Amino acid sequence: MKRIMVTGGLGFIGSYFVRMALERGYRVVNVDKMTYAARTDLDFDSHPHYEFIRADIAELKHLPVGMDYIVNFAAESHVDNSILANHDFFHSNVRGVYNLLELVRAKDETDRPVFVQISTDEVYGTIHEGSFREGDRLCPSNPYSASKAAADQLVLGWKQTYGLRVMIIRSCNNYGFGQYPEKLLAKTIEYLLLGRKMTIHGDGSYRREWLYAEDNCEAILTLLERGREGEIYNVSSNEEHSVLEAAEMAAQAVGVDPKDAFVFIPNRPGQDLRYSVDCSKVRALGWRPQRTLADYLPEYVAMYRRKLGLD
Ligand SMILES: NC(=O)c1ccc[n+]([C@@H]2O[C@H](COP(=O)([O-])OP(=O)(O)OC[C@H]3O[C@@H](n4cnc5c(N)ncnc54)[C@H](O)[C@@H]3O)[C@@H](O)[C@H]2O)c1
């Protein structure tokens, strides 16, 4: 039975990953600091192959013994917060990764887990046409993406210098239940269900690719099982919508006329116009996303209605 140390496994994507890994027969040790973004509605706590350690990845002194992989989801993840106060982003996203890499390096070479860094398409910055490949230059535009790009560079440096076994996975915008309602779709659905208007930065025309979190976690498990160590992999559905289009789809799923749903506010600094990544490397391993945003939204809204006690 393989063992995975997951960090940030109480967060939005990490919690999908923990559940899926337990279902696949992995043993999971989840290290999470329990920031404001950690979920409190999860049900895998009593699973016999699950262990929880409340800790900050930047302060952790030892790794659990006998791990085959570390999958590092732990991060501060909201761009707006990074613009207002960037300290925690440097602490968790850069110092945290540095500390984990050093803890792996301190282990005997025969006992080193593979270090899997969960990164983002945002590290590449804007692309007007086409899609970024894994070898393209990083060009982050805000403190969040800069901290994630810095972490990717640390991982590559520790691989080259110290021979660490690593992998970097850069995925596009994820959606799914359990996302903290600061992110676009969760906030749109929550606000509209509560009769409030949703705010959109600028004119909402900036484009993103949208991926269901479970599809993302399936890709991560595929890469653990069939990917090549030392490689970088992009993961995307290549389903592209502008932020306004995605929010309008959410409004329609809630049953609110998009014309009455939004208030437009000044754009934030560091706003990239378009993200897009080529994911032929992970597709060559047989992975395909199973859901589209339009498929998922009715289920998402129904779950949100129950969460808010509206049904
Ligand atoms: N959400 C997306 O659309 C998206 C897209 C691409 C990549 N990512 C990356 O995926 C990862 C997970 O994103 P998410 O949206 O699930 O994040 P999230 O904010 O929902 O959850 C982050 C989790 O990490 C924990 N955490 C934060 N700092 C920590 C620290 N120093 N030590 C231990 N635990 C800590 C939090 O308590 C929380 O449980 C992040 O690394 C993010 O950069 C996210």
Side-chain angles (χ1 to χ4, degrees):
M1 188 179 267
K2 295 238 177 187
R3 293 161 191 257
I4 309 179
M5 172 175 143
V6 175
T7 71
L10 297 182
F12 163 51
I13 307 173
S15 59
Y16 272 90
F17 183 81
V18 169
R19 176 166 297 111
M20 201 178 273
L22 289 170
E23 281 167 10
R24 296 288 169 85
Y26 288 93
R27 284 188 179 271
V28 175
V29 178
N30 179 13
V31 176
D32 196 300
K33 181 182 172 179
M34 298 183 76
T35 69
Y36 74 96
R39 292 180 65 177
T40 52
D41 59 343
L42 297 165
D43 57 6
F44 43 65
D45 221 36
S46 55
H47 194 288
H49 299 148
Y50 175 77
E51 186 188 333
F52 179 67
I53 298 172
R54 183 173 187 172
D56 183 330
I57 56 165
E59 314 285 339
L60 202 65
K61 299 281 184 282
H62 306 282
L63 295 175
V65 287
M67 292 296 122
D68 296 290
Y69 305 97
I70 296 176
V71 183
N72 181 41
F73 291 95
E76 289 295 332
S77 66
H78 191 45
V79 175
D80 292 14
N81 292 347
S82 82
I83 295 168
L84 294 172
N86 53 42
H87 173 271
D88 288 354
F89 287 74
F90 181 76
H91 175 82
S92 294
N93 303 6
V94 184
R95 280 207 71 86
V97 170
Y98 164 75
N99 187 45
L100 292 175
L101 291 169
E102 283 292 271
L103 291 175
V104 176
R105 181 165 84 91
K107 280 194 162 285
D108 189 88
E109 266 182 51
T110 56
D111 185 34
R112 285 180 181 166
V114 180
F115 185 83
V116 181
Q117 170 64 5
I118 302 302
S119 183
T120 162
D121 60 355
E122 301 195 26
V123 296
Y124 297 112
T126 284
I127 187 162
H128 295 285
E129 279 176 20
S131 303
F132 284 116
R133 310 266 338 221
E134 286 85 349
D136 285 335
R137 189 171 67 98
L138 304 190
C139 195
S141 302
N142 57 60
Y144 165 70
S145 52
S147 70
K148 296 295 290 185
D152 285 10
Q153 305 290 29
L154 291 180
V155 172
L156 295 174
W158 263 241
K159 170 195 144 199
Q160 285 298 111
T161 304
Y162 303 116
L164 260 56
R165 301 163 63 201
V166 302
M167 187 183 284
I168 296 173
I169 302 178
R170 296 182 179 142
S171 63
C172 66
N173 243 19
N174 280 222
Y175 59 84
F177 189 72
Q179 192 164 32
Y180 193 78
E182 61 192 355
K183 306 274 171 46
L184 182 82
L185 291 174
K187 190 169 170 182
T188 302
I189 292 170
E190 183 163 318
Y191 272 34
L192 298 184
L193 284 174
L194 295 174
R196 298 174 64 178
K197 289 197 178 201
M198 172 66 186
T199 49
I200 300 285
H201 288 113
D203 62 3
S205 62
Y206 30 99
R207 303 188 72 76
R208 305 286 182 259
E209 294 180 332
W210 303 84
L211 176 67
Y212 182 41
E214 210 168 277
D215 284 327
N216 185 24
C217 293
E218 184 66 52
I220 297 167
L221 278 171
T222 301
L223 290 168
L224 255 56
E225 288 162 5
R226 302 207 290 280
R228 281 184 44 190
E229 281 174 31
E231 293 282 315
I232 302 171
Y233 291 93
N234 293 333
V235 176
S236 173
S237 57
N238 297 122
E239 181 187 346
E240 186 174 326
H241 303 287
S242 74
V243 162
L244 184 58
E245 284 162 7
E248 286 176 344
M249 288 166 75
Q252 275 159 354
V254 172
V256 172
D257 186 334
K259 287 202 289 298
D260 303 323
F262 306 113
V263 177
F264 293 87
I265 59 171
N267 216 342
R268 64 186 183 198
Q271 184 75 268
D272 285 313
L273 295 179
R274 179 174 176 265
Y275 296 134
S276 180
V277 289
D278 178 306
C279 55
S280 39
K281 274 173 76 174
V282 65
R283 282 176 179 262
L285 299 174
W287 172 83
R288 297 285 181 278
Q290 301 299 312
R291 305 293 285 268
T292 64
L293 184 55
D295 285 344
Y296 180 69
L297 277 168
E299 182 181 326
Y300 193 6
V301 171
M303 290 166 94
Y304 235 110
R305 289 186 67 85
R306 284 197 292 280
K307 177 186 163 192
L308 296 174
L310 298 173
D311 281 336

